[in-house]
Amino acid sequence: MSTAPAAPDDAALIAHFLERGDEGSFRLLYRRHSPAVFGLLCRLNGGREADAADLLQEAWIRAAASLRGFGGRARFRTWLCGIALNCHREWHRARGRETSLDTESLGDLGARPAPRAVSPQGGQITQVLQALPPPFLEVLVLHDVEGYTHEEIAEALGIEPGTSKSRLARGRRLFRERWRGPDTGGER
Amino acid sequence: MKDHDEPTTDEPLAGEEAAALAALRRDGVPPAAVEERVVEALRARGAFARRRPRWTLVLGYAAVLAIGLGAGRLWRPAPGALPAQPRFLLLLYQDVGFQEGGPAEQRARVREYGAWARGLARQGKLVSGEELRDDGQELRPAAASAALSPERLHGEPRGFFVVVAPDAAGAAAIAADCPHLRHGGRVVVRPIA
């Protein structure tokens, strides 16, 4: 009885795709990572799967075009998520909801209309997340939902780990305020 | 997590809040059409090599030659036409080490596999051979059938030959001459009961 060989790792698939133009290796790479990236995009854009599918497509096309620049310092999925996040940010900006970190203070953010999300129901938590400015939303989701480290987030977003920590702290504060509701004084 | 050196005041989320976020952690199921759109877009940009010759093409090529030589009946043998010898299944795997080669090499490989299959047909050793598609389903007791994942399919055979040989050693000798081995592929020989 023969033992089935282990599936090739990401590095081998990338090498096969780049060196031989091997479609099968690319498809395997796509199928391995797309569910996680698609799930991430769905969470970031409030569950709009059609938009998430378009963003996933754009992310993979960009990733394939720049794959030779993937140095392997980060995990491939982390690198791919970074590209997907850029796509999401551009999509978000095009929808006119981009928020500038330079012009919007935390106090201003707190003054934005917040949904009354005071119950841990899935639909409501999605609304709470969607009310967060993208920079904080991205770090909060990557860290507290996806389980990425600050180093990985920094690699994916092209920021410093300290910035990731700072955004997480502010993202958590905003999330907490909106999750608990403004009329409870921060307490449930 | 490394929040201990957080430069700004950070309060970890309370249990219910953290649990609510953690509950969101799950993979999605992207529409299958997205993969095809991505692949088509990349193909249009020349990202992929021309498709390698499939086993069906290789075997088809060999079959045409075999028919031309009057040995085509071995591909669709009439009942009882085959020698009364044990049959063996040669399972062909393409692991990571399999060398697919460029277009010129692939054309040469068509000739190579074709010559090998034609030689077996001439000797009355070849019963059949087919390529397996890149999909499939798995059925288990008391469970719904499920499509085989790409990860699982990778470890599955990519094609097979059925040959006849006097014994296991003879079948192994046939397999040892298979060009698949010369290109980094793997061949498993199983006797048919």
Side-chain angles (χ1 to χ4, degrees), chain A residues 1-8 12 16-17 20-23 26-28 30-32 34-36 38-40 43 49 53-54 56-57 60-61 64-65 77 120 122 125-126 129 140 143-151 162 164-166 168-170 172-173 175-176 179-180 188, chain B residues 1-14 16-43 45 47-52 93 95-101 134 150-151 153-156 186 188 190:
Chain A
M1 179 69 73
S2 69
T3 301
H16 283 199
F17 169 60
R20 306 175 189 173
D22 181 46
E23 181 181 325
F26 178 81
R27 285 182 182 271
L28 191 54
Y30 174 94
R31 293 171 188 173
R32 178 178 294 171
S34 286
F38 183 69
L40 170 65
R43 283 185 284 280
E49 293 195 352
D54 289 344
L56 178 68
Q57 176 180 337
W60 272 108
I61 291 173
R77 183 171 296 179
I125 195 171
T126 300
L129 289 174
L140 182 68
H143 191 279
D144 284 352
V145 179
E146 306 289 343
Y148 281 52
T149 66
H150 285 298
E151 287 71 21
S164 174
K165 294 174 184 175
S166 174
L168 177 65
R170 299 175 76 178
R172 281 175 170 171
R173 179 176 169 183
F175 173 78
R176 185 181 300 113
W179 177 251
R180 294 177 180 176
R188 298 201 64 190
Chain B
M1 305 303 167
K2 298 181 179 179
D3 284 337
H4 58 280
D5 57 349
E6 170 57 53
T8 60
T9 302
D10 185 21
E11 178 188 346
L13 296 176
E16 188 180 70
E17 297 161 344
L21 281 178
L24 293 175
R25 185 176 188 178
R26 62 185 182 277
D27 288 352
V29 182
V34 176
E35 178 179 340
E36 298 310 316
R37 293 203 299 264
V38 170
V39 168
E40 284 306 312
L42 296 181
R43 181 175 292 123
R45 299 178 185 197
F48 300 126
R50 293 174 61 186
R51 292 181 68 85
R52 62 182 167 76
Y93 294 83
D95 305 330
V96 174
F98 185 75
Q99 303 146 14
E100 295 182 356
D134 291 335
E151 307 283 347
L153 276 169
H154 173 76
E156 297 293 320
R186 184 165 57 94
V188 172
R190 301 288 302 274

Side-chain angles (χ1 to χ4, degrees), chain B residues 36-154:
Chain B
E36 298 310 316
R37 293 203 299 264
V38 170
V39 168
E40 284 306 312
L42 296 181
R43 181 175 292 123
R45 299 178 185 197
F48 300 126
R50 293 174 61 186
R51 292 181 68 85
R52 62 182 167 76
R54 311 290 292 186
W55 285 98
T56 45
L57 297 181
V58 171
L59 295 175
Y61 180 84
V64 168
L65 294 179
I67 290 169
L69 294 171
R73 64 182 184 279
L74 290 178
W75 294 93
R76 296 286 187 274
L82 287 172
Q85 292 191 55
R87 293 176 300 161
F88 294 86
L89 177 64
L90 275 53
L91 293 165
L92 280 65
Y93 294 83
Q94 293 182 188
D95 305 330
V96 174
F98 185 75
Q99 303 146 14
E100 295 182 356
E105 187 175 348
Q106 290 176 357
R107 284 193 295 273
R109 200 165 303 172
V110 170
R111 293 191 293 272
E112 184 182 15
Y113 276 70
W116 181 75
R118 189 172 68 247
L120 287 181
R122 279 176 178 159
Q123 300 168 53
K125 297 178 179 177
L126 184 62
V127 177
S128 64
E130 298 286 351
E131 179 193 20
L132 301 177
R133 282 178 21 176
D134 291 335
D135 58 6
Q137 294 188 28
E138 183 175 51
L139 286 77
R140 292 173 179 269
S145 65
L148 280 171
S149 69
E151 307 283 347
R152 287 289 311 278
L153 276 169
H154 173 76

